[in-house]
Amino acid sequence: MATMEDHVARWFDVQSVPLSHTFPPENRPGKLPFPTCSAIPIINLSNPERLDTVQKIIKASLNFGFFQVINHGVSECVSTEALNVLKELFNMPGEEISRDAHKNGWVHMGSTMYAIDGVHLWRDNIKHPCHPLEKCMQHWPQMPTREVMATYVQEMRRLSFRILELISEGLGLEKGYFEEISQVQFLSASNYPACPDPSVTLGVLKHFDHSLITILFQGNVEGLQVLHDGKWVGVGVVPNAFVVNIGTQLEIMSNGKLRSAEHRAVTNSEEDRLSIATFINPSPNCIIEPAKVLINESNPPLYDSFLFKDFIGSSKAFGPFTELVQTKD
């Protein structure tokens, strides 16, 4: 049987899940597959009835903390090309990726490089700062990755403005409320190889995103799960759709009118899965607090105020390399 040591560059070429990747029973996903939740809304951003779109987004953000968007204006080839260049990157030897990352100030976390409570995740991951884009892209891997990913980030920035403006409208905030304080701060791409026993390991442990919103492109392979009403449910794959989830910072700014949901990534035994998550965060010097227009005698603030960069710095909210992917304002 192959072992982890026999395949340094291909840690996942094993016949069974090694103990190093086996989670304790309380953290295992258990019997798979989980049911796909058909109730998670799929929202048409080209709906001519704007008020209807706004209401659907607000309802989904409160009930699920997640929704998917279609007819969003992002060309399918932009997302497909981004997946393809990232696939090429993940196919490179891990040591080569790590050397490039270390040299240029971005993050590569191969599965065997980082453990959570002594257990490795079943994924390889890269994180790359994206703001300001013109400066950050000079440190990305060489062409064609650089141009392709820059185009993808630009599209995510445009889409995030559109979604945040609809949310702002639904909350009764002034036009452009989020535009000046939000940034596409970093991109996180994950490769989840096919796993011999998905019931004992995880691609990502359950967590909240500490963003305003996170926009995920999950390609054509399922693996994202959301905790809803105390049960894990799968988020189905919709062609050329983006999954949007509400981050904890937006929950605070909405004074709890919108809710962030715990989520995780599971693996499967049939095929690899590659996803791209784009984190739209507050700017570092933004004061995070409930929007004043949402506060009154009958609706007191539910959260204390804090400076976003102080919270991120003290909590390491984006993992062990949080500092590397943060904007330096």
Side-chain angles (χ1 to χ4, degrees), residues 18-227:
L19 285 176
S20 58
H21 287 69
T22 301
F23 281 89
E26 63 272 18
N27 288 334
R28 296 177 190 175
K31 187 177 180 181
L32 297 169
F34 280 78
T36 298
C37 183
S38 59
I40 293 177
I42 300 170
I43 298 173
N44 178 8
L45 291 188
S46 294
N47 181 359
E49 299 295 331
R50 184 177 177 89
L51 179 58
D52 180 60
T53 301
V54 168
Q55 291 174 339
K56 286 179 177 176
I57 288 177
I58 296 300
K59 183 178 180 181
S61 300
L62 175 61
N63 293 340
F64 291 95
F66 274 78
F67 54 91
Q68 300 202 57
V69 294
I70 58 173
N71 298 323
H72 38 64
V74 180
S75 170
E76 187 171 3
C77 70
V78 170
S79 305
T80 301
E81 287 180 6
L83 277 183
N84 287 340
V85 297
L86 287 169
K87 188 179 297 183
E88 291 180 14
L89 183 62
F90 281 119
N91 281 337
M92 293 168 54
E95 297 86 348
E96 188 174 336
I97 302 174
S98 293
R99 278 197 301 270
D100 192 302
H102 180 75
K103 178 182 177 182
N104 291 297
W106 50 280
V107 176
H108 170 239
M109 288 196 295
S111 178
T112 58
M113 295 166 56
Y114 175 68
I116 299 174
D117 295 330
V119 183
H120 298 284
L121 295 171
W122 196 270
R123 73 160 181 175
D124 289 324
N125 172 260
I126 63 169
K127 290 182 174 68
H128 212 298
C130 298
H131 185 84
L133 180 59
E134 295 75 15
K135 179 180 178 181
C136 290
M137 67 179 290
Q138 301 306 316
H139 300 284
W140 289 3
Q142 292 296 326
M143 279 71 86
T145 306
R146 193 171 288 180
E147 282 75 15
V148 169
M149 296 313 300
T151 298
Y152 183 84
V153 171
Q154 288 170 337
E155 288 296 303
M156 292 303 98
R157 180 59 169 154
R158 184 188 60 78
L159 180 59
S160 71
F161 277 153
R162 188 175 179 186
I163 293 169
L164 285 171
E165 189 60 31
L166 291 166
I167 289 174
S168 177
E169 189 173 325
L171 291 173
L173 304 177
E174 63 189 67
K175 185 177 177 62
Y177 184 88
F178 294 107
E179 185 168 346
E180 292 301 317
I181 65 169
S182 64
Q183 304 171 346
V184 178
Q185 280 196 346
F186 71 93
L187 175 149
S188 177
S190 295
N191 182 52
Y192 307 94
C195 175
D197 187 358
S199 70
V200 300
T201 191
L202 283 167
V204 179
L205 281 165
K206 67 177 183 179
H207 66 284
F208 294 96
D209 282 358
H210 297 296
S211 56
L212 288 169
I213 58 173
T214 304
I215 302 177
L216 177 76
F217 185 64
Q218 58 175 347
N220 58 2
V221 181
E222 292 186 12
L224 172 65
Q225 294 185 336
V226 179
L227 191 62

Side-chain angles (χ1 to χ4, degrees), residues 299-319:
N299 294 288
L302 302 178
Y303 308 88
D304 294 330
S305 301
F306 57 86
L307 197 65
F308 183 63
K309 66 180 180 183
D310 290 346
F311 164 70
I312 294 301
S314 62
S315 67
K316 303 298 180 188
F318 300 112

Side-chain angles (χ1 to χ4, degrees), residues 255-271:
N255 203 37
K257 293 183 181 295
L258 311 179
R259 294 299 178 93
S260 184
E262 279 190 298
H263 51 287
R264 67 183 184 183
V266 297
T267 62
N268 74 85
S269 59
E270 302 297 325
E271 56 186 329

